[in-house]
């Protein structure tokens, strides 16, 4: 396409963005219009993509981080012939693939965006997969807005990409000066962005974002720069081309009041088609193999206690040998989580993200885009920093495995800043997650292995201290199941635990025998989905539950248990034992006692219920 044709294409993208928002009665046309020339040059001259084969291994990856500008992306898809004009105008309608912010319901969208500051972090993961794992020449293009440059996650991404030297990654920053409620922090001061980005090891180019030749030259420079990623920092005007809204405050996030006048001002409706360049004919790396003779860890029942975090790390190392598509990401605590055991045998598939939990989850999502099986681990308490990234990963339909260790008060002397007491609630609340909480080493082996085949986000909670090995290496632990460890027809109460409280419940059951009280004990290792049938059977048989959890009372194990009832199933009498107070520093045993979740507290609660 000539420069003149690309100018026309940019105008078409603006017109179609205005039309889409007008048809919806909502949307962000002005944010789309500022970046239209950038998108036009990228689409016509630099993107390599086969829209008929979105899974082509040579395809470039385009991530619109400023996801509110989705009309621009959809207009580009129309210009490429991927969607019709009729579908474009279903924007934001019930059942339409043209959602308010893009999601992978569209086959050309890698990840959902819309929560600002996430597109570049995920793009780093996609680019890193190409350079370190796939060894493919595709480029990753990320279009960001200037407002999201205030997000700390963006700067985690800049540093990670710079350290990795991801020269096949290009970020295009649409500096249109205006945010949602007024001017951005740096306005049109392009150098304010460039100075910071260069400090992270990037090559930067500052341009007029409406100058076709300058945009083309900048993208060519990005494609030929070696050893460093490139940031194209483009000065643009929000609402470009429509006098009603161009560079005017108060016009964000709403359709134009007179779209027909704006369309006339922009030169009218067009129907240009762009021939997007084909990707190179490359072969994807062979994956799915490994050494089938590798043995998973086996721990001796009744032998030395083993921490579930240790079993996690040893299992992960074995999985890396069994399956050559497993990738492990660490938040600079791999020596404590034991994920570091993987790196000794598989250093090329071990990605150190340092203490940047948002970037760690984003990188996991990014390498998952390329089909790798990602395990990301850190202390469970620190995953709260990455909650929004996990939430968006669910919207992206990502399949990633997340492991949080050092959970609960049972970590002991480190104190409350290191104790995850909210993680079960956080992970249960995310759409379509699987939440697992093993209590011993052999159970951990089976569950960590099962995670690799689970759809969506799977979370495993592991603990710091050594635990007795109560299961054999051959025991099965299906997701959605539980284990009934003690059972008798004369049971009067059911004790329910997960993780450390399973062992406390077993000890409590032993104490109750002296009082002539029989107690059923359930290990509810699958917190989501929960074993509804076993719980309902126990309720019918015993009528009383004591639920003990090393977690705050809100949203954890007890809520999972009690959510199994209703709809005609009577609720048992029950007592919830959880961490109600703010812990301090103490030994693990002292912590369990102070929280009221140890064997003595469980037994006392059971006695009280039975006496009711």
């Amino acid at each position: 396409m000539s420069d003149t044709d690309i100018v026309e294409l940019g105008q078409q993208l603006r017109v179609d963005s205005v039309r889409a928002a007008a048809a919806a009665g909502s949307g962000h046309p002005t944010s789309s219009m500022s970046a239209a020339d950038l998108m036009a040059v990228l689409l016509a001259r630099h993107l390599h993509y086969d829209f008929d084969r979105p899974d082509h291994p040579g395809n470039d990856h385009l991530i619109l981080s400023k996801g509110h500008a989705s009309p621009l992306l959809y207009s580009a898809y129309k210009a490429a012939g991927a969607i019709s004009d009729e579908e474009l105008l279903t924007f934001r309608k019930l059942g339409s693939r043209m959602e308010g912010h893009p999601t992978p319901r569209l086959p050309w969208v890698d990840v959902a965006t819309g929560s600002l500051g996430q597109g570049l972090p995920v793009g780093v993961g996609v680019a890193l997969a190409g350079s370190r794992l796939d060894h493919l020449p595709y480029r990753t293009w990320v279009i960001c807005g200037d407002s999201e440059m205030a997000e700390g996650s963006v700067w985690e991404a800049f540093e990670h990409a710079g350290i990795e030297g991801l020269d096949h990654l290009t970020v295009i920053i649409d500096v249109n000066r205006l945010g949602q409620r007024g001017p951005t922090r740096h306005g049109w001061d392009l150098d304010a962005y460039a100075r910071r980005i260069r400090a992270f090891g990037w090559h930067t180019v500052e341009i007029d974002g409406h100058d076709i030749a300058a945009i083309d030259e900048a993208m060519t420079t990005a494609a030929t720069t070696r050893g460093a990623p490139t940031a194209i920092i483009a000065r643009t005007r929000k609402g470009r081309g429509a006098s009603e809204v161009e560079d005017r405050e108060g016009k964000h996030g709403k359709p134009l009041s007179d779209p027909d006048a704006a369309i006339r001002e922009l030169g009218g409706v067009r129907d240009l088609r762009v021939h997007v360049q084909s990707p190179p004919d490359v072969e994807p790396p062979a994956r799915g193999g490994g050494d089938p003779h590798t043995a998973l860890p086996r721990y001796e029942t009744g032998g030395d206690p083993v921490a579930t975090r240790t079993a996690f790390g040893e299992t992960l190392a074995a999985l890396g040998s069994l399956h050559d598509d497993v990738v492990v990401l660490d938040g600079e605590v791999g020596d404590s989580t034991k994920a570091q055991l993987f790196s000794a045998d598989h250093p090329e598939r071990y990605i150190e993200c340092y203490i940047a939990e948002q970037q760690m989850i984003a990188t996991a999502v990014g390498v998952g885009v390329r089909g790798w099986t990602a395990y990301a681990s850190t202390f469970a308490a620190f995953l709260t920093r990455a909650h929004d990234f996990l939430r968006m990963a669910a919207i992206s339909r990502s399949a990633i495995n997340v492991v949080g260790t050092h959970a609960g008060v049972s970590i002991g002397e480190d104190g409350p800043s290191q104790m995850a007491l909210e993680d079960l609630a956080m992970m249960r609340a995310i759409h379509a997650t699987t939440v697992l909480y093993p209590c011993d080493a052999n159970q951990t082996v089976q569950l960590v292995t099962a995670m690799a085949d689970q759809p969506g986000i799977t979370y495993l909670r592991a603990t710091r201290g050594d635990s007795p090995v109560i299961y054999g290496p051959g025991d099965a632990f299906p997701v959605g199941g539980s284990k009934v460890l003690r059972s008798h027809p004369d049971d009067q109460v059911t004790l329910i635990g997960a993780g450390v409280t399973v062992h406390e419940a077993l000890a409590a059951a032993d104490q109750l025998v002296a009082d002539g009280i029989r107690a059923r004990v359930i290990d509810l290792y699958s917190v989501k989905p929960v074993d509804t049938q076993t719980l309902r059977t126990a309720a019918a048989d015993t009528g009383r539950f004591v639920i003990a959890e090393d977690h705050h009372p809100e949203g954890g194990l007890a809520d999972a248990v009690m959510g199994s009832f209703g709809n005609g199933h009577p609720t048992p009498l029950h007592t919830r034992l959880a961490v109600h107070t703010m812990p301090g520093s103490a030994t693990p045993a002292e912590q369990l006692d102070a929280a009221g979740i140890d064997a003595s507290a469980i037994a006392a609660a059971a006695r009280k219920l039975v006496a009711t």
Side-chain angles (χ1 to χ4, degrees):
M1 263 187 163
S2 68
D3 285 7
T4 300
D5 290 336
I6 293 177
V7 168
E8 285 297 300
L9 175 61
Q11 293 294 80
Q12 174 175 307
L13 298 178
R14 291 187 176 93
V15 167
D16 283 345
S17 295
V18 170
R19 293 173 64 228
S26 65
H28 296 76
T30 60
S31 300
S32 302
M33 295 161 78
S34 61
D37 297 319
L38 300 167
M39 180 68 83
V41 175
L42 178 61
L43 199 65
R45 291 187 179 168
H46 295 275
L47 189 70
H48 293 79
Y49 199 91
D50 185 341
F51 282 90
D52 292 328
R53 293 181 58 195
D55 59 348
H56 191 296
N59 278 341
D60 285 350
H61 293 264
L62 171 59
I63 299 173
L64 182 70
S65 188
K66 47 179 283 178
H68 53 288
S70 57
L72 173 62
L73 185 66
Y74 304 152
S75 297
Y77 290 160
K78 175 198 161 184
I83 66 170
S84 67
D85 190 65
E86 290 74 20
E87 185 172 16
L88 173 69
L89 297 181
T90 66
F91 178 54
R92 291 188 168 214
K93 299 289 199 306
L94 179 66
S96 173
R97 298 189 299 173
M98 308 292 111
E99 296 181 65
H101 294 75
T103 74
R105 286 182 65 187
L106 289 163
W108 318 288
V109 173
D110 287 328
V111 290
T113 55
S115 184
L116 291 177
Q118 297 203 18
L120 181 58
V122 173
V124 169
V126 175
L128 194 148
S131 65
R132 278 185 54 178
L133 303 173
D134 290 327
H135 305 291
L136 289 173
Y138 64 76
R139 298 197 65 79
T140 302
W141 304 88
V142 181
I143 301 177
C144 292
D146 49 353
S147 287
E148 67 187 288
M149 293 297 110
E151 286 282 5
S153 57
V154 169
W155 300 99
E156 288 185 14
F158 276 125
E159 182 160 28
H160 194 181
I163 290 292
E164 293 282 350
L166 299 178
D167 53 18
H168 279 61
L169 170 66
T170 301
V171 62
I172 304 164
I173 306 173
D174 175 25
V175 184
N176 63 28
R177 189 185 73 84
L178 293 175
Q180 177 168 325
R181 59 95 197 100
T184 56
R185 178 176 290 162
H186 298 294
W188 277 322
D189 185 355
L190 303 190
D191 192 53
Y193 298 109
R195 289 193 308 272
R196 290 162 173 78
I197 296 169
R198 283 196 299 270
F200 288 113
W202 285 58
H203 177 66
T204 62
V205 185
E206 300 169 43
I207 61 169
D208 176 348
H210 301 305
D211 182 330
I212 301 302
I215 299 169
D216 184 39
E217 182 179 355
M219 291 182 181
T220 300
T221 297
T224 56
T225 296
R226 294 291 173 261
T230 297
I232 298 172
I233 307 164
R235 184 186 192 278
T236 64
R237 295 174 70 85
K238 198 165 186 174
R240 168 78 167 185
S243 56
E244 175 196 334
V245 293
E246 183 170 337
D247 192 35
R248 302 183 72 175
E249 295 185 28
K251 303 298 182 180
H252 179 89
K254 59 186 71 171
L256 276 64
S257 61
D258 191 346
D260 291 336
I263 291 168
R264 289 193 298 271
E265 189 176 0
L266 290 163
V269 176
R270 300 158 175 81
D271 193 24
L272 296 173
R273 287 291 181 266
V274 181
H275 175 70
V276 177
Q277 297 179 76
S278 298
D281 188 14
V282 295
E283 290 294 325
R287 272 191 237 143
D291 181 1
H293 303 295
T294 301
L296 291 170
R298 298 168 64 89
Y299 302 94
E300 183 180 349
T301 307
D304 292 337
V306 180
T308 55
R309 61 169 172 147
T310 300
F312 157 65
E314 292 176 348
T315 304
L316 206 55
L319 279 181
S321 297
L322 282 167
H323 304 288
D324 61 8
D325 62 341
V326 171
V327 177
V328 173
L329 303 99
D330 171 49
E332 207 202 301
V333 289
D335 54 340
S336 292
T337 65
K338 305 304 180 182
Q340 193 167 290
L341 296 173
F342 183 94
S343 69
D345 296 331
H346 316 289
E348 74 285 357
R349 287 184 274 138
Y350 188 79
I351 301 172
E352 182 55 70
C353 298
Y354 300 93
I355 302 176
E357 290 84 8
Q358 295 178 106
Q359 185 57 47
M360 180 183 70
I361 297 300
T363 304
V365 171
V367 300
V369 165
R370 291 292 309 139
W372 295 89
T373 301
Y375 284 79
S377 63
T378 186
F379 288 8
F382 304 155
L383 286 168
T384 56
R385 291 175 180 254
H387 177 262
D388 190 33
F389 279 76
L390 291 162
R391 180 184 73 89
M392 290 300 296
I395 298 171
S396 292
R397 286 75 164 170
S398 295
I400 61 171
N401 302 302
V402 183
V403 177
T405 69
H406 294 67
V409 298
S410 62
I411 71 168
E413 291 87 346
D414 277 349
S417 69
Q418 310 299 295
M419 297 172 178
L421 294 167
E422 312 84 3
D423 57 314
L424 293 179
M426 178 178 80
M427 298 305 299
R428 286 183 63 237
I430 296 171
H431 176 71
T433 49
T434 298
V435 181
L436 307 170
Y437 188 11
C439 72
D440 93 332
N442 285 320
Q443 189 177 64
T444 303
V445 173
Q446 299 301 322
L447 294 179
V448 170
T449 303
M451 292 172 79
D453 298 319
Q454 283 295 115
I457 300 170
T458 303
Y459 176 62
L460 184 135
R461 190 186 212 225
T463 45
R464 177 185 193 177
D466 292 338
S467 301
V469 179
I470 62 174
Y471 295 116
D475 288 346
F477 303 96
V479 172
S482 65
K483 283 289 185 183
V484 179
L485 294 169
R486 302 277 179 87
S487 180
H488 189 276
D490 297 330
D491 286 338
Q492 298 163 273
V493 64
T494 299
L495 312 180
I496 302 170
V500 296
T501 59
V502 170
H503 306 285
E504 299 300 320
L506 287 169
D510 292 339
Q511 292 179 23
L512 292 169
V513 169
D515 299 324
I517 298 174
R518 289 192 176 275
R520 186 167 301 183
V521 178
I522 296 177
D523 170 10
L524 203 68
Y525 64 83
S526 183
V527 182
K528 180 186 178 184
V530 75
D531 188 351
T532 298
Q533 187 55 55
T534 294
L535 292 171
R536 289 177 178 175
T537 298
D541 291 347
T542 71
R544 303 174 183 88
F545 282 2
V546 176
I547 310 159
E549 56 185 314
D550 193 0
H551 188 274
H552 285 319
E554 297 85 3
L557 188 69
D559 279 354
V561 169
M562 300 316 298
S564 299
F565 296 94
N567 297 321
H569 296 277
T571 302
L573 293 173
H574 63 280
T575 298
R576 301 176 179 221
L577 304 180
V579 183
H580 290 269
T581 60
M582 181 60 67
S585 289
T587 67
E590 290 169 335
Q591 297 280 19
L592 294 174
D593 174 59
I597 56 174
D598 66 352
S600 296
I602 295 171
R607 292 186 193 100
K608 186 174 181 180
L609 272 183
V610 170
T612 301

